[in-house]
Amino acid sequence: MKNRLSGKQPYFYKRLFARERFVVRDDDNVEHDEEAPPAPDYEIPPYHPEYKLAYNFEHYLDDHEPRMEERFPALTTHQRFLCIYAALELAHKRGNQAAVPQWYCDRNADEGSYQWLLPLYVTTEDLSIKPDLVATLSPQPEYAEYNVRTLIPPEYAYSHARAVSGRDPQFRTWA
């Protein structure tokens, strides 16, 4: 169904039982008699491995220093920088195989859009296990780049990645 709530996904799933008309209540508790629409036809935008990455290492390493120390306790700040930079570049080159689309709406925005979740492997080469971190990438098509907004633990990203890519067994390891 088309979502009437601002700042949310454009469509949401509502199960209908053998009837074509139903009543919907909006945010103001007003009832609307509606007919079941056809399933929405939309495509997730493609991931662009040719885009450049725009970094904010001060945010990743300084603002979230406890998060980085927890994940990589034996590394210095400079070593963490090198590892994260290399992991981002390698994951971006794998792009189409690794990137997971996610619908995202900033709480200060009126509308949402797709961003990408990119799993980062620093401590292992085994891509079938849980990644060390997940980078969130916001596309900036006018500049042909992805803004790497933040790095989060995979547990934070799992539910969103699984909801979009439930068909892919790779994300079972993120939890």
Side-chain angles (χ1 to χ4, degrees), residues 60-118:
Y60 321 142
L61 299 173
D62 295 341
D63 296 348
H64 294 292
E65 186 176 6
R67 187 182 295 171
M68 295 299 119
E69 285 178 351
E70 178 186 332
R71 295 289 170 175
F72 313 112
L75 300 179
T76 67
T77 302
H78 182 68
Q79 291 169 329
R80 288 183 197 122
F81 161 77
L82 293 173
C83 290
I84 290 169
Y85 177 76
L88 280 164
E89 287 295 323
L90 289 171
H92 181 53
K93 289 190 186 326
R94 282 193 308 271
N96 289 334
Q97 295 107 13
V100 180
Q102 176 194 31
W103 181 261
Y104 177 75
C105 185
D106 186 289
R107 61 189 122 178
N108 298 322
D110 291 332
E111 292 186 18
S113 64
Y114 279 100
Q115 69 176 12
W116 293 92
L117 301 174
L118 198 59

Side-chain angles (χ1 to χ4, degrees), residues 47-55 89 92 137-140 143-148:
Y47 185 81
H48 296 283
E50 73 277 5
Y51 278 17
K52 292 188 182 333
L53 296 179
Y55 305 106
E89 287 295 323
H92 181 53
L137 285 79
S138 297
Q140 306 296 321
Y143 303 111
E145 68 181 23
Y146 286 111
N147 181 7
V148 184

Side-chain angles (χ1 to χ4, degrees), residues 71 119-122 124 129-134 153-155 173-174:
R71 295 289 170 175
L120 305 179
Y121 295 88
V122 175
T124 183
I129 65 172
K130 181 166 89 172
D132 294 298
L133 293 166
V134 177
E155 302 83 33
T173 63
W174 284 28

